Amino acid sequence: MNLGDLQLLEDSSWRVLLSAVVAVVLALVVHRVGAVVIWRITRGLPVAGMVARRCWRPSRVALPLIALQAVWQAAPDTLALISQVRHGNALLLLATLTWLALRAIDGVAQGIISQHSVEVEDNLNARRIHTQTRLLARTAGFMVLVAGLSLMLMTFPGARQLGASLLASAGVIGIVAGIAARPVFSNLIAGLQIALAQPLRIDDVLIVQGEWGRVEEITGTYVVLKIWDERRLVIPLQWFIENPFQNWTRNSAQIIGTVFVWVDYRMPLEPLRQAARQACEAAAEWDKRLCLLQVVEAGERSMQLRVLVTSGNSSLNWDLRCKVREALVDFMQREYPQFLPLMRAEVTGGVERPQGAGPTGQLPPHA
């Protein structure tokens, strides 16, 4: 290479660098102007506005990288290290575009969730939308992440086959049922099933393995159940597909609770019914649907009473049941203490035998 060629190559390098600087500056100006215009257009649109805010940072990086990639592709191949610069810029661009897609998905999810508050009395539809949106957003984010990683690997000649295989796997996740045997993908498919079929939602009240709690969080792999005593039960998503569980708020949060009381057979029932009714009417937790006292069992020593009471949700019903139970016990202690459950015995000729026994002290056959 003679002196003229070196001079020409040096001039080309300076022109390429100058073009790169100008391209970056123009890209930042375009981003700034475009961001202002988009924010004004989406000001009254919750979902689009949230997407615009979430995508501001990654787009600020992506536009200069796109401009630089155009400059590097137009540069002559004789420049030193130009192939390495093109490859590095392409990797950064793919990573930034993946980041941009993830932020856009998150913006859509947050925009939808913000329009449906769960801080209302009837939040069944809002909880359904929250659950579906979060699970679908996490699934879409996982797919985008796998696709981005695959495309980055495919830029390396030695890893192109691995990248193609990984990208093919990402497209097969939702189609091939056999891939669900793998733990990660099984939870992913379980998340899609839960999002579409809705057996449980955010803030649902569940009974899982004898534990009572509310669904606090649903991730892409597990569900966090907040137990009433502030503990957290972490359960894999696949468990809810394969095992039965109780959902107390599947269609409505309203619930019927029971209060059991044991009393003597001589206890009159009408005063207890009135006391139960007064206890329900005095409790703010009662929703005025049902307050019913019934005899549900007649044992050999006492009878069992059941009081059915209703509330708007399970937490209120628990407090209502406690209040009714305390009111009935207090009423009997004050008004009818002699009719609390007793162990009767009959003394005949100095020999104590249970009431109802024969002369020999033996119980009759029908007893």
Side-chain angles (χ1 to χ4, degrees), residues 298-354:
E300 59 181 7
R301 297 187 179 92
S302 61
M303 58 181 176
Q304 186 184 58
L305 310 181
R306 183 184 68 181
V307 184
L308 299 179
V309 292
T310 56
S311 297
N313 58 59
S314 56
S315 297
L316 294 176
N317 194 258
W318 172 266
D319 295 334
L320 177 62
R321 290 162 57 195
C322 292
K323 289 183 178 180
V324 172
R325 188 181 297 110
E326 293 172 2
L328 292 179
V329 171
D330 181 68
F331 174 77
M332 291 195 63
Q333 288 176 342
R334 288 185 290 103
E335 304 294 337
Y336 299 93
Q338 69 276 20
F339 295 150
L340 291 171
L342 300 173
M343 174 68 74
R344 296 190 181 88
E346 183 179 337
V347 179
T348 303
V351 179
E352 180 178 334
R353 58 190 175 89

Side-chain angles (χ1 to χ4, degrees), residues 101-283:
L102 292 175
R103 297 282 288 188
I105 293 172
D106 182 66
V108 172
Q110 293 300 323
I112 295 175
I113 289 174
S114 65
Q115 297 181 80
H116 301 85
S117 175
V118 296
E119 304 298 330
V120 294
E121 185 65 25
D122 186 10
N123 60 2
L124 184 63
N125 185 61
R127 292 189 288 111
R128 176 182 63 82
I129 292 176
H130 280 219
T131 303
Q132 288 182 331
T133 303
R134 290 179 181 179
L135 284 174
L136 293 176
R138 288 191 176 99
T139 303
F142 177 79
M143 301 290 289
V144 167
L145 191 61
V146 172
L149 180 60
S150 303
L151 292 175
M152 293 175 68
L153 287 175
M154 290 176 67
T155 62
F156 295 93
R160 185 166 297 169
Q161 184 62 35
L162 176 61
S165 301
L166 190 59
L167 186 60
S169 299
V172 173
I173 287 176
I175 303 174
V176 180
I179 205 171
R182 300 180 61 182
V184 174
F185 293 144
S186 64
N187 280 320
L188 179 65
I189 294 179
L192 288 174
Q193 290 177 297
I194 289 175
L196 298 176
Q198 293 284 290
L200 59 96
R201 297 172 293 265
I202 298 293
D203 206 41
D204 267 349
V205 176
L206 307 183
I207 303 293
V208 178
Q209 297 181 343
E211 297 283 3
W212 181 97
R214 291 184 178 274
V215 177
E216 183 179 50
E217 183 182 3
I218 302 179
T219 70
T221 55
Y222 58 85
V223 174
V224 179
L225 195 67
K226 183 179 180 181
I227 310 302
W228 65 273
D229 57 0
E230 301 296 332
R231 289 179 294 139
R232 301 298 192 274
L233 185 63
V234 181
I235 311 159
L237 284 176
Q238 187 65 24
W239 188 93
F240 289 98
I241 303 300
E242 299 175 350
N243 297 277
F245 60 94
Q246 296 184 39
N247 189 336
W248 287 11
T249 54
R250 179 69 178 86
N251 297 318
S252 173
Q254 294 179 339
I255 192 170
I256 300 176
T258 57
V259 177
F260 291 98
V261 180
W262 285 262
V263 299
D264 190 76
Y265 276 100
R266 296 174 296 172
M267 176 67 200
L269 297 180
E270 192 56 35
L272 274 181
R273 285 195 174 97
Q274 295 179 4
R277 187 74 182 186
Q278 292 174 1
C280 288
E281 292 175 350

